[in-house]
């Protein structure tokens, strides 16, 4: 069985080298990035059995994404063929103050945005084939057909008794808070695990957000996902978890020399979900999420480029947390 199957889009990422500006550089560094595949890549690097579900063009750009995920040991054999459809791109411009970093998407009508429920590998959504299904708000926000596909995948997983997890990962360039809420809210009650950044609660559910007390934010937000383990990431302030019974757990962030924050939430999810699948305690899972996120912050690109021994070494260092 797969430890995790995850549905989402992976984009080609183009970044000007050496902190140049987008309208300055003559060339780009090329990498791949996508919320779910970032999470899977880190989990596969930690030794978990991970399959990525998506739709890719049948050309060299699609091959490039496949190869780079295979490099981390992610299984890409269930990806659906996307014919001549396009691969989505994004431009990432790093910024050092007073410049700001920014992301520009060029992903409309991509192969993944055109994925249909019928493209899902239904044979994987059977009891015993996977231990966890994972997707994100990005996938649900891509297009009407990607949304229908993700909803169908969640339904199939539920019917097969496969636990489901969702990372809200709100992207204002994809959809408005109103549209995101309309789509997400009916799903939240069905999830075993819900990951959400504190700033996304602020953006989408301002009535739950308390500027002075993150515990109150989390407890108020629980009314939208009463059955889930609720994990709220807080960037350099760490993360908190609330169980359906109302038990609170927290972790500090690990200290990291920051190179790039992009992908930090996906890395956190990788560490947390790996620990959850291994049956670790809630506190240990939070701490492992924070540790993988710290490795990501210290690495260029969207993926936490780690291995198990590096992670174990950091987790064994009691002085490593609380220094953010
Ligand atoms: O979380 C990081 C992702 O946002 C990045 O890898 C690109 O998937 C991406 C997106 O849609 O923004």
């Amino acid at each position: 069985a797969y430890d995790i199957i995850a549905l989402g889009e992976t984009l080609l990422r183009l970044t000007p080298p050496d902190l140049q500006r987008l309208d300055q550089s003559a060339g780009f560094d090329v990498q791949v990035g996508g919320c779910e595949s970032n999470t899977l890549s880190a989990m596969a690097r930690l030794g978990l059995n991970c399959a990525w579900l998506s739709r890719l063009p049948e050309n060299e750009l699609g091959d490039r994404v496949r190869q780079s995920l295979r490099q981390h040991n992610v299984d890409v054999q269930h990806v659906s063929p996307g014919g001549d459809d396009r691969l989505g791109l994004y431009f990432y411009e790093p910024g050092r103050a007073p410049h700001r970093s920014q992301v520009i998407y060029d992903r409309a009508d991509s192969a993944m945005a055109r994925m249909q429920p019928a493209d899902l590998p239904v044979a994987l959504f059977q009891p015993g084939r996977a231990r966890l299904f994972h997707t994100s708000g990005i996938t649900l926000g891509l297009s009407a057909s990607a949304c229908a596909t993700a909803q169908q995948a969640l339904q199939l997983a539920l019917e097969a008794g496969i636990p489901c997890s969702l990372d809200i990962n709100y992207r204002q360039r994809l959809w408005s808070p109103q549209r995101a809420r309309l789509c997400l809210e009916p799903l939240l009650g069905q999830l075993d695990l819900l990951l959400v950044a504190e700033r996304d609660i602020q953006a989408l559910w301002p009535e739950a957000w308390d500027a002075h007390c993150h515990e109150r934010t989390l407890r108020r937000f629980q009314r939208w996902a009463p059955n889930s383990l609720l994990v709220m990431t807080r960037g350099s302030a760490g993360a908190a978890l609330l169980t359906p019974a109302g038990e609170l757990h927290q972790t500090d962030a690990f200290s990291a020399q920051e190179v790039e924050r992009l992908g930090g939430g996906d890395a956190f999810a990788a560490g947390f979900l790996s620990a959850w699948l291994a049956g670790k305690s809630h506190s240990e899972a939070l701490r492992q999420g924070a540790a993988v996120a710290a490795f990501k912050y210290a690495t260029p690109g969207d993926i936490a480029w780690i291995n198990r021994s590096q992670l174990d070494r950091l987790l064994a260092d009691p002085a490593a947390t609380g220094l953010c």
Side-chain angles (χ1 to χ4, degrees):
Y2 289 108
D3 292 310
I4 177 169
I5 55 178
L7 173 74
E9 175 164 38
T10 295
L11 308 165
L12 208 61
R13 163 181 143 163
L14 305 173
T15 310
D18 307 322
L19 296 172
Q20 292 182 86
R21 312 312 296 155
L22 270 175
D23 54 2
Q24 174 185 24
S25 72
F28 293 111
D29 289 334
V30 182
Q31 306 196 35
V32 304
C35 169
E36 293 84 356
S37 65
N38 298 340
T39 297
L40 292 182
S41 298
M43 291 177 80
R45 296 182 67 88
L46 294 176
L48 283 88
N49 191 8
C50 306
W52 182 57
L53 313 184
S54 191
R55 192 164 173 272
L56 281 177
E58 293 166 273
N59 59 28
E60 286 75 5
L61 292 177
D63 293 344
R64 179 158 185 151
V65 171
R66 261 196 193 87
Q67 277 160 21
S68 51
L69 298 186
R70 268 200 208 110
Q71 169 192 14
H72 303 291
N73 247 343
V74 175
D75 189 329
V76 293
Q77 64 172 309
H78 304 287
V79 170
S80 162
D84 290 333
D85 284 352
R86 64 175 301 226
L87 184 74
L89 310 179
Y90 84 101
F91 298 85
Y92 172 64
E93 182 176 51
R96 293 290 179 273
H99 280 305
R100 296 178 129 202
S101 64
Q102 70 160 330
V103 164
I104 298 177
Y105 286 144
D106 179 16
R107 68 194 302 177
D109 275 332
S110 67
M112 177 60 208
R114 293 181 171 200
M115 188 168 179
Q116 309 271 349
D119 297 324
L120 284 168
V122 282
L124 286 187
F125 293 86
Q126 303 293 331
R129 291 298 310 274
R131 299 176 58 216
L132 181 64
F133 171 74
H134 178 69
T135 192
S136 73
I138 294 180
T139 306
L140 287 153
L142 283 181
S143 65
S145 77
C147 181
T149 305
Q151 286 168 333
Q152 170 77 357
L154 281 165
Q155 194 54 39
L156 290 172
L158 288 170
E159 284 165 13
I162 299 170
C164 292
S165 91
L166 179 88
D167 189 344
I168 296 272
N169 228 340
Y170 175 63
R171 293 286 181 268
Q172 61 178 18
R173 287 187 177 81
L174 285 180
W175 52 352
S176 66
Q178 293 72 23
R179 272 191 53 223
R181 277 183 74 149
L182 267 178
C183 171
L184 291 166
E185 284 179 0
L187 305 174
L188 300 185
Q190 305 175 326
L191 302 167
D192 298 272
L193 296 153
L194 178 60
L195 296 126
V196 59
E198 190 174 15
R199 63 168 186 277
D200 288 351
I201 297 183
Q202 183 186 2
L204 296 185
W205 290 277
E207 66 270 49
W209 188 67
D210 186 316
H212 306 291
C213 178
H214 67 276
E215 180 180 345
R216 191 167 305 134
T217 299
L218 190 55
R219 291 196 185 276
R220 283 190 191 150
F221 180 63
Q222 191 177 35
R223 81 170 234 243
W224 282 275
N227 311 316
S228 313
L229 267 191
L230 204 50
V231 180
M232 182 172 78
T233 54
R234 308 182 58 225
S236 56
L241 176 151
L242 192 62
T243 68
E247 205 183 298
L248 183 77
H249 299 265
Q250 310 211 53
T251 184
D252 287 329
F254 280 77
S255 114
Q257 194 151 24
E258 225 175 82
V259 176
E260 232 193 79
R261 289 195 74 80
L262 214 71
D266 310 332
F268 182 96
F272 180 85
L273 296 176
S274 308
W276 183 80
L277 283 164
K280 298 209 173 149
S281 71
H282 298 324
S283 300
E284 285 173 310
L286 281 178
R287 195 159 179 272
Q288 183 165 305
V292 179
F295 277 108
K296 162 51 224 141
Y297 294 143
T299 314
D302 298 22
I303 290 166
W305 217 274
I306 43 159
N307 60 39
R308 179 63 72 177
S309 62
Q310 291 163 344
L311 177 61
D312 287 345
R313 208 179 319 132
L314 183 60
L315 288 171
D317 177 359
T321 34
L323 300 171
C324 55

